[in-house]
């Protein structure tokens, strides 16, 4: 059964759920695009890697002795059985004192020369939260915008500050498409919580028909395939919904199937 929400399901934004949803979204989107862009193009999954250095206090030992070994002494001489043990292990530490956050994205590449034609990004919390990860992501976006590649960016997270696109209208979610030939103009789809998610174009090289991504179908498919209904509603949405939206959402969750 698909998600009970007509558009984005706000419960999928919960921190305990989002990384799973994101990890499922990217390969599903890749599969949806691959047949549309072949044979001239192919779709490749890439990863942003964000490194977070840990403090010395967080570098925990991987092993420690759990058996105390004492000389047998007089006990052995008296014929008393004495437990023996291998020498106690030394403590070792994780080699790299960093945590890695990996965020997948898509590239559409020309099959002939392997050049990137379009980049497709599903925005993650790491991309939005103010700090080094956001800066790294935005620098990558600006680099793409200086090349001959198009950009598709999808933000299905209400939380966190928006990325610094100019003249962005108020909305809960959005999708945007920056086509290489029409920059600096960017097509923008503002999406409210109660709106169905749109079908958005995925540009290819100038002159070739564009592919498309049906975002609503993707969300419903992922919701079903991941059996999210079994555990998704054990906590409130994050961030919290506005009171009127919370009442609306509660009504959707208590409506019987087919009602």
């Amino acid at each position: 059964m698909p998600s009970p929400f007509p558009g984005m399901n706000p419960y999928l934004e919960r921190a305990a759920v989002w990384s799973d949803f994101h990890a499922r979204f990217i390969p599903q989107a890749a599969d949806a695009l691959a047949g549309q862009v072949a044979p001239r193009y192919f779709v490749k999954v890439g990863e942003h890697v964000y490194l977070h250095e840990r403090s010395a206090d967080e570098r925990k030992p991987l092993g420690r002795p759990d058996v105390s070994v004492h000389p047998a002494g007089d006990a052995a001489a008296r014929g008393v059985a004495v437990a023996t043990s291998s020498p106690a292990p030394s403590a070792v530490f994780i080699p790299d004192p960093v945590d890695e956050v990996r965020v997948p994205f898509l590239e559409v590449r020309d099959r002939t020369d392997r050049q990137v034609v379009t980049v497709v990004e599903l925005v993650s919390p790491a991309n939005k939260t103010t700090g080094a990860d956001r800066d790294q992501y935005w620098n990558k976006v600006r680099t793409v915008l200086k090349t001959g590649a198009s950009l598709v960016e999808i933000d299905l997270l209400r939380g966190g500050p928006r990325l610094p696109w100019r003249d962005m209208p108020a909305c809960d979610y959005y999708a945007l498409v920056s086509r290489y030939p029409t920059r600096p103009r960017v097509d923008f789809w503002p999406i409210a919580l109660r709106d169905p998610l749109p079908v958005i174009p995925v540009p290819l090289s100038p002159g070739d028909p564009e592919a498309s991504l049906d975002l609503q179908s993707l969300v419903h498919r992922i919701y079903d395939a991941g059996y999210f209904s079994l555990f998704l509603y054990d906590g409130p949405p994050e961030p919290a919904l506005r009171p009127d939206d919370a009442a609306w959402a509660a009504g959707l969750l208590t409506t019987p199937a087919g009602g």
Side-chain angles (χ1 to χ4, degrees):
M1 181 180 296
S3 164
F5 289 85
M8 178 57 182
N9 186 322
Y11 287 84
L12 291 170
E13 302 173 63
R14 295 173 58 205
V17 176
W18 177 260
S19 61
D20 186 16
F21 173 77
H22 194 148
R24 294 173 184 270
F25 183 97
I26 292 298
Q28 288 276 5
D31 290 346
L33 289 174
Q36 299 181 61
V37 305
R40 180 174 175 183
Y41 307 95
F42 65 93
V43 182
K44 178 178 180 293
V45 177
E47 283 186 322
H48 299 295
V49 180
Y50 303 102
L51 301 179
H52 302 155
E53 186 171 1
R54 301 203 314 262
S55 68
D57 290 342
E58 295 175 309
R59 301 175 199 171
K60 303 298 185 184
L62 294 179
R64 65 176 183 177
D66 56 3
V67 176
S68 295
V69 181
H70 300 283
D74 293 340
R78 294 195 302 270
V80 178
V82 178
T84 60
S85 172
S86 300
S90 299
V92 296
F93 295 84
I94 296 173
D96 298 317
V98 295
D99 288 324
E100 291 185 352
V101 177
R102 296 180 176 270
V103 179
F105 64 94
L106 294 181
E107 294 176 336
V108 180
R109 289 180 176 257
D110 189 292
R111 187 168 60 88
T112 303
D113 58 13
R114 302 297 194 265
Q115 291 297 308
V116 176
V117 174
T118 304
V119 175
V120 181
E121 297 276 4
L122 177 63
V123 175
S124 74
N127 302 147
K128 297 182 73 174
T129 304
T130 301
D133 294 354
R134 176 186 171 98
D135 293 343
Q136 180 178 328
Y137 172 75
W138 186 242
N139 286 337
K140 187 265 179 87
V141 167
R142 290 190 296 180
T143 298
V144 172
L145 297 178
K146 294 175 182 177
T147 70
S150 296
L151 173 74
V152 176
E153 184 179 83
I154 304 159
D155 187 350
L156 298 181
L157 290 165
R158 290 169 297 121
R162 293 294 183 205
L163 292 160
W165 298 98
R166 289 177 54 190
D167 303 323
M168 185 185 298
C171 54
D172 294 308
Y173 313 107
Y174 71 79
L176 66 82
V177 176
S178 172
R179 296 175 178 85
Y180 164 65
T182 60
R183 289 188 186 126
R185 181 177 178 271
V186 174
D187 287 346
F188 189 86
W189 287 260
I191 307 165
L193 172 66
R194 306 189 194 194
D195 292 342
L197 299 176
V199 178
I200 60 171
V202 177
L204 302 173
S205 295
D208 285 346
E210 296 183 330
S212 64
L213 272 180
D214 185 335
L215 299 182
Q216 193 62 67
S217 292
L218 280 175
V219 168
H220 284 324
R221 195 178 310 146
I222 294 163
Y223 181 87
D224 281 342
Y227 289 87
F228 283 99
S229 61
L230 298 180
F231 59 88
L232 190 61
Y233 306 108
D234 58 2
E238 298 171 5
L241 297 174
R242 297 180 290 266
D244 57 330
D245 286 333
W248 169 78
L252 293 177
L253 295 178
T254 55
T255 300

